[in-house]
Amino acid sequence: MRCDLLVTARFLLPSPHEQVIENGALAITGDEIVDIGTADELLLNHQPSQRLERPSGLIIPGLINCHTHIPMVLFRGLADDIPLKRWLEEYIFPREAKLTPEIIALGTELACAEMIRSGTTAFVDMYFHEDKMAETASKIGLRGWYGEGLLDFPSPSFPDGYQALEATIEMAEKWKNHPLVEIAVAPHTPYTCSRDLLLKAGEIAQNMDALLLIHLSETAWEVQEIKSRFGKTPTEYLYNLGVLTEKTLAIHGVHLTESDINILAATGSSLCHCPESNLKLGSGICPVPELLSAGVNLCIGTDGAASNNDLDLFGEMDFAAKLPKGIHHDPAVVWAEQILDMSTTAAARALGRQDIGRLAKGCKADLAILDLHRPGLTPCFNPVSQIVYTAKGADVSDLIVAGKILLERHELTTIDQERLIHEIHQVVKGLV
Ligand SMILES: [Zn+2]
């Protein structure tokens, strides 16, 4: 049988919970995996147009970053060690006001280069000028969900949340048949959106059958604020508005009560854990074991690079795995497969997709290859342990999205990195 591309490697991990295949291979035609198994079997049954041979490689499902603000890479390291409110008001908001679609495109390209180099094949973004981001990242070849941020006050792209909501509907129409772009509805937080705006956002997300993204209970201040305005926790408040559904992807969930956790589980909402950002901004720590035992679908995101300060999901998984062990004084309170699940299969579930986050026949060909022939990854007793506790983004040698090679032997194929870095140095001079 003919196929477009045959990838072989020392190990292939189909999903966090499946057996590793030694001398594994997968055959790709178009944007899909058409066969998976051992290299011997697949070489016998397929005549590929192209081969990718990685004898020291570990093929893994492409990682999914469930929450980020990708152009914020432009503000990486601009202001650290400052409380969230001051950080936003004094350092971030004045710079964001200067962002044009052209600068957003450049920031998007930089973020895509970083994500491709660190094994990320899909991301969920909430920011401004999202249409420009979708245009840029889809040309580069990454899969993305784009939610134009809805706020009660003017954003860098729209004078108010209602106009941003109108633009969201137009974007959904414009991109509806694109294989790599999905449009989400993205009210920023329960405290920066009016009750009416939240209701309209919820209604429109349901009409469009789109994902609804919202920051939720990130800080103790937010919980107090919503309680004083409405007499409820932010989760209870959103639940009463009917905003929490199976298509809701709430972000952070640092300060949750037991009842909040039960609401998230009962509504089938997903929650995105952003450990590094929460730690760096001093917000607190998301109660991961409690959420997992309540059955909440938990995934992982980096948040923007200005509060992280990178987009490397390997670092995020390492933090997510170790934090609860330290807090609960129990090394078995979460284990590596659960954490990898949060960046792959659970992330795909949050996005309502069966065909990404794992490697199987009929799934999209979204994958990364780690080069195990490196001192820091030697020996390799258990590939899942290696991914969660040892690997860094820089260990990724190759990356494929929808059957297209975006990174080959550490070289970006769709981005001119030298030109990009030069342009970034020029543009940030005008921003800071
Ligand atoms: Zn965020």
Side-chain angles (χ1 to χ4, degrees):
M1 208 190 301
R2 290 216 63 81
C3 71
D4 293 338
L5 177 64
L6 192 88
V7 190
T8 53
R10 181 178 159 203
F11 295 117
L12 189 160
L13 181 69
S15 84
H17 306 292
E18 284 175 87
Q19 279 285 316
V20 170
I21 304 172
E22 265 197 79
N23 295 318
L26 40 84
I28 297 167
T29 289
D31 67 352
E32 265 185 34
I33 297 169
V34 291
D35 205 357
I36 183 164
T38 64
D40 290 348
E41 285 164 2
L42 265 65
L43 284 166
L44 208 64
N45 296 330
H46 297 274
Q47 287 90 48
S49 306
Q50 191 185 355
R51 293 256 333 245
L52 204 68
E53 294 171 79
R54 297 293 180 261
S56 61
L58 162 62
I59 306 173
I60 65 170
L63 304 178
I64 303 171
N65 188 346
C66 278
H67 179 63
T68 183
H69 314 280
I70 60 172
M72 289 188 90
V73 288
L74 296 166
F75 306 130
R76 191 198 318 267
L78 169 73
D80 302 308
D81 314 325
I82 301 169
L84 176 65
K85 205 160 175 289
R86 229 186 103 204
W87 177 77
L88 279 173
E89 288 169 2
E90 289 180 29
Y91 293 89
I92 300 300
F93 290 159
R95 267 82 186 198
E96 284 182 338
K98 297 184 188 176
L99 294 174
T100 61
E102 292 68 34
I103 300 175
I104 288 280
L106 210 56
T108 301
E109 208 180 342
L110 181 64
C112 287
E114 186 182 355
M115 289 191 286
I116 292 170
R117 286 193 170 284
S118 52
T120 297
T121 52
F123 62 92
V124 182
D125 198 86
M126 177 206 279
Y127 206 54
F128 314 112
H129 299 294
E130 290 281 337
D131 189 56
K132 193 70 185 173
M133 288 168 53
E135 191 186 305
T136 310
S138 63
K139 250 184 228 159
I140 290 166
L142 278 179
R143 199 180 289 287
W145 276 252
Y146 303 87
E148 181 72 29
L150 311 178
L151 297 158
D152 283 338
F153 44 89
S155 79
S157 37
F158 293 99
D160 63 47
Y162 295 98
Q163 293 188 48
L165 202 46
E166 279 303 312
T168 303
I169 299 170
E170 285 164 24
M171 273 167 62
E173 187 57 29
K174 173 179 168 183
W175 292 100
K176 73 177 172 196
N177 294 319
H178 197 285
L180 297 177
V181 176
E182 295 212 32
I183 302 303
V185 178
H188 180 249
T189 66
Y191 65 92
T192 49
C193 293
S194 67
R195 191 175 175 277
D196 184 64
L197 183 58
L198 287 170
L199 283 169
K200 287 223 162 48
E203 194 183 301
I204 284 167
Q206 277 176 32
N207 291 345
M208 289 175 16
D209 196 27
L211 201 65
L212 184 135
L213 314 172
I214 187 162
H215 293 108
L216 178 69
S217 291
E218 181 177 4
T219 60
W221 174 87
E222 173 189 335
V223 177
Q224 277 318 311
E225 180 67 18
I226 294 296
K227 271 189 178 166
S228 70
R229 284 193 214 172
F230 306 105
K232 298 178 176 74
T233 68
T235 306
E236 290 164 351
Y237 171 59
L238 292 184
Y239 174 65
N240 283 352
L241 294 181
V243 167
L244 299 178
T245 72
E246 279 179 5
K247 300 224 60 168
T248 302
L249 173 52
I251 302 129
H252 297 307
V254 170
H255 300 275
L256 297 173
T257 62
E258 204 182 319
S259 139
D260 291 341
I261 293 174
N262 291 336
I263 289 174
L264 291 172
T267 54
S269 302
S270 294
L271 186 73
C272 181
H273 176 33
C274 302
E276 290 194 71
S277 176
N278 296 152
L279 287 175
K280 184 157 181 280
L281 291 169
S283 302
I285 298 166
C286 169
V288 168
E290 291 82 349
L291 285 155
L292 287 174
S293 51
V296 175
N297 187 50
L298 204 55
C299 46
I300 293 186
T302 56
D303 210 349
S307 61
N308 185 299
N309 289 357
D310 61 50
L311 303 177
D312 185 345
L313 280 170
F314 288 95
E316 221 58 43
M317 287 193 282
D318 194 32
F319 265 96
K322 288 171 185 164
L323 272 172
K325 296 173 193 287
I327 295 166
H328 291 265
H329 300 189
D330 178 4
V333 72
V334 291
W335 55 95
E337 284 81 2
Q338 287 178 304
I339 300 295
L340 183 56
D341 194 43
M342 287 161 67
S343 294
T344 54
T345 40
R349 206 174 304 126
L351 303 174
R353 294 282 293 256
Q354 310 275 332
D355 59 348
I356 58 171
R358 64 199 175 97
L359 302 174
K361 216 166 152 176
C363 283
K364 296 295 174 202
D366 290 11
L367 59 97
I369 306 178
L370 288 166
D371 181 9
L372 297 178
H373 190 68
R374 291 161 88 86
L377 291 177
T378 303
C380 179
F381 297 113
N382 172 359
V384 176
S385 154
Q386 212 75 322
I387 296 164
V388 173
Y389 296 118
T390 319
K392 307 275 179 287
D395 297 321
V396 172
S397 60
D398 304 84
L399 183 121
I400 295 175
V401 177
K404 189 173 172 189
I405 302 172
L406 305 185
L407 185 73
E408 189 169 4
R409 292 192 195 281
H410 299 278
E411 291 293 328
L412 295 165
T413 63
T414 56
I415 295 174
D416 176 351
Q417 185 173 298
E418 284 313 303
R419 187 256 324 142
L420 172 64
I421 290 177
H422 175 74
E423 286 184 29
I424 292 288
H425 286 314
Q426 298 305 310
V427 89
V428 293
K429 280 184 201 158
L431 283 178
V432 296

